[in-house]
Amino acid sequence: MTTEIRTFQIPDATREEAQAALSAFLRTVEVQRIDTAYADGAWRILVLYQDLRRKEEALQIETAIAAALNLWRDRVAARDGVPRESVLPDELVPDIARFAPTTEHELSIIVGTRGFDLGPRGGEIVQAVRSTLDELID
């Protein structure tokens, strides 16, 4: 989830209206930082925030991808007769779900930082992610 920036101006002449707009906005976001300055008869407000709707949407997408990856791990483990942890370690599932790689190259960057070799299963993981994203869009 990325931090977004929005600026507001509260002029002395129309203070109540501008403050109401700022208050309404602040109720819909998760504020990370607010900076203020006064110049030329108005307050300037800089708000760094995360949109709560986007944050919730991102969480739902991550949850769906993690569920798809876990289902895929169970199927592969049963098919190959190995523990699901050897197919894809538990600690990698949240990272893959968070970054949602749609190419094997993107996946290799995520997994490579953890020192795990996916071997020929990388394409299957990417396909599970892609399929999940496609289902969520439709």
Side-chain angles (χ1 to χ4, degrees):
M1 184 94 274
T2 61
T3 299
E4 299 181 51
I5 299 172
R6 184 160 174 194
T7 59
F8 292 86
Q9 184 170 321
I10 302 180
D12 290 340
T14 58
R15 183 179 64 241
E16 289 82 17
E17 183 180 320
Q19 286 175 334
L22 174 60
S23 293
F25 172 76
L26 292 175
R27 285 191 293 274
T28 66
V29 299
E30 181 178 300
V31 175
Q32 294 181 333
R33 180 176 166 181
I34 296 179
D35 288 326
T36 60
Y38 187 82
D40 301 324
W43 282 98
R44 270 80 170 169
I45 295 110
L46 176 72
V47 181
L48 282 74
Y49 67 96
Q50 289 185 344
D51 187 315
L52 294 176
R53 290 168 289 171
R54 289 185 192 157
K55 185 175 182 178
E56 179 61 30
E57 184 178 282
L59 182 59
Q60 290 174 354
I61 291 169
E62 286 178 32
T63 301
I65 291 172
L69 289 172
N70 284 325
L71 181 61
W72 170 80
R73 287 192 317 160
D74 290 340
R75 287 183 191 152
V76 171
R79 178 189 71 203
D80 296 348
V82 297
R84 79 182 210 161
E85 181 72 15
S86 69
V87 174
L88 180 66
D90 289 337
E91 66 267 7
L92 286 178
V93 172
D95 288 341
I96 294 170
R98 183 175 339 117
F99 294 110
T102 56
T103 67
E104 288 188 55
H105 177 71
E106 291 172 347
L107 178 63
S108 70
I109 293 169
I110 296 164
V111 174
T113 61
R114 300 293 196 102
F116 187 80
D117 180 26
L118 295 175
R121 294 186 177 133
E124 294 178 54
I125 293 170
V126 168
Q127 184 56 44
V129 171
R130 282 184 187 165
S131 297
T132 304
L133 292 173
D134 287 345
E135 288 174 14
L136 292 172
I137 291 172
D138 293 337

